[in-house]
Amino acid sequence: MSSFAQEVPLSWYLLLSSVLFSLGVVGFLIKRNLITVFMSIELMLNAVNLSFVTFAHEWHAVKGQIFVFFVMMVAAAEAAVGLAIIIAVFRARATLSVDRINLMKL
Amino acid sequence: MHLILFIIFAGFCLAGAINLLLQTHPINSALSLIVVMTSLAVLYLLLGAEFLAAAQIIVYSGAIMVLFTFVVMLLNAGREERTLGSRAALSVGFPSVVAILAVLSTIIIRAQGLGVARLGEGLTNDPEKSNMFQVSRVLFHELLLPFEVTSILILIAILGAVAIASPGHGYTGDDGERISHK
């Protein structure tokens, strides 16, 4: 028991990552608010980051961690631009509901 | 010890993610997302990625989520009304989510040769072997150019965010009126 409690199989981390990713996709589908849809995308990004770090640990490859670092930087830039777009949309349409923001819908 | 920490913080992660889906007010969803990201930082630490754990807390649960809560409060976004989503989401989306999760879990469970994570495996006092040393050596020798290019990317993103969000540009006034009356 003591030796078992000291270590965790890496597949558990990967399972957690895939479950988090699926929850992010479900949130993307069921949420009706533009900001929470965006948050679900961030959740998916985080889930993928977790699997990157897990594989970096498995193969002792530090470049996997650096890839996560770059993903974080791009996510920061993406969040800034995305939230600016949300502010612009709210200013134009006075709503955040994705059902009413349908200008580009076919 | 590692198992206990993993179970606690993986549980926090899943609880936060599910709470993000269940809450109807965006500010509650944002706070649940902060819980998810901070627990993920602890999991990074368990996997021996100290630098990423710190960066996760500073960048994600610090900067990005402050931006989110700021926008939620600025726009005064109320409760979202529940709709069932589009027909495409119901008929194509949810079955594909289930399929993706099933395929991924099957592959992960049946994968052979995946190792185990031990507590404190990557932590060392030896400066030549520490995680920080390895990350910075690759980042500032091999990948120096991409690292500098991302700083330009962030600068452009800041300028773009200011240009898009500033009033008087883009999609306001007459055009917005016409669309809201339609």
Side-chain angles (χ1 to χ4, degrees), chain A residues 5 7-8 10 13 22 27 30-33 38 42 46 49 57-58 63 65 72 75 91-92 99 103, chain B residues 1-3 20-21 23 37 44 47 56 60 68 80 83 94 101 115 117-118 121 131 142 165 171 179:
Chain A
E7 53 190 37
V8 170
L10 284 180
Y13 283 96
S22 307
I30 69 169
K31 297 306 261 185
R32 296 289 101 190
N33 187 313
F38 201 43
E42 295 289 329
N46 271 282
N49 280 354
H57 181 275
E58 163 73 19
K63 276 194 182 158
Q65 298 184 9
M72 276 182 193
R91 192 177 277 139
D99 292 327
L103 191 64
Chain B
M1 193 63 192
H2 192 155
L3 186 69
L20 188 152
L21 301 189
Q23 293 291 337
M37 286 166 173
Y44 292 170
L47 286 170
Q56 170 90 2
Y60 262 122
F68 268 100
E80 62 181 314
T83 53
F94 293 114
L101 184 60
R118 288 186 188 81
E121 199 173 19
N131 174 254
E142 262 181 81
Y171 215 60
I179 287 163

Side-chain angles (χ1 to χ4, degrees), chain A residues 18-83:
Chain A
S18 59
V19 170
L20 279 181
F21 185 84
S22 307
L23 283 173
V25 179
V26 170
F28 185 82
L29 290 175
I30 69 169
K31 297 306 261 185
R32 296 289 101 190
N33 187 313
L34 206 51
I35 300 178
T36 34
V37 168
F38 201 43
M39 281 182 212
S40 307
I41 297 175
E42 295 289 329
L43 183 62
M44 286 192 263
L45 271 176
N46 271 282
V48 176
N49 280 354
L50 178 62
S51 66
F52 259 120
V53 176
T54 309
F55 281 119
H57 181 275
E58 163 73 19
W59 284 303
H60 304 287
V62 82
K63 276 194 182 158
Q65 298 184 9
I66 288 173
F67 205 99
V68 175
F69 182 61
F70 281 118
V71 168
M72 276 182 193
M73 284 201 275
V74 174
E78 170 235 338
V81 175
L83 289 170

Side-chain angles (χ1 to χ4, degrees), chain B residues 135-156:
Chain B
V135 167
S136 51
R137 189 173 50 190
V138 178
L139 193 59
F140 293 119
H141 285 174
E142 262 181 81
L143 298 174
L144 185 61
L145 184 65
F147 180 70
E148 297 295 341
V149 169
T150 41
S151 65
I152 299 174
L153 171 79
I154 288 184
L155 184 68
I156 295 172

Side-chain angles (χ1 to χ4, degrees), chain B residues 8-77:
Chain B
I8 290 174
F9 286 99
F12 272 145
C13 262
L14 291 177
I18 292 169
N19 195 34
L20 188 152
L21 301 189
L22 295 181
Q23 293 291 337
T24 51
H25 203 282
I27 199 79
N28 296 339
S29 299
L31 294 178
S32 324
L33 195 54
I34 293 177
V35 171
V36 175
M37 286 166 173
T38 314
S39 322
L40 276 177
V42 178
L43 294 181
Y44 292 170
L45 207 52
L46 289 179
L47 286 170
E50 313 141 46
F51 171 66
L52 280 182
Q56 170 90 2
I57 288 185
I58 294 170
V59 176
Y60 262 122
S61 31
I64 293 181
M65 292 318 294
V66 163
L67 212 58
F68 268 100
T69 46
F70 173 74
V71 169
V72 170
M73 290 178 176
L74 176 75
L75 299 185
N76 198 11

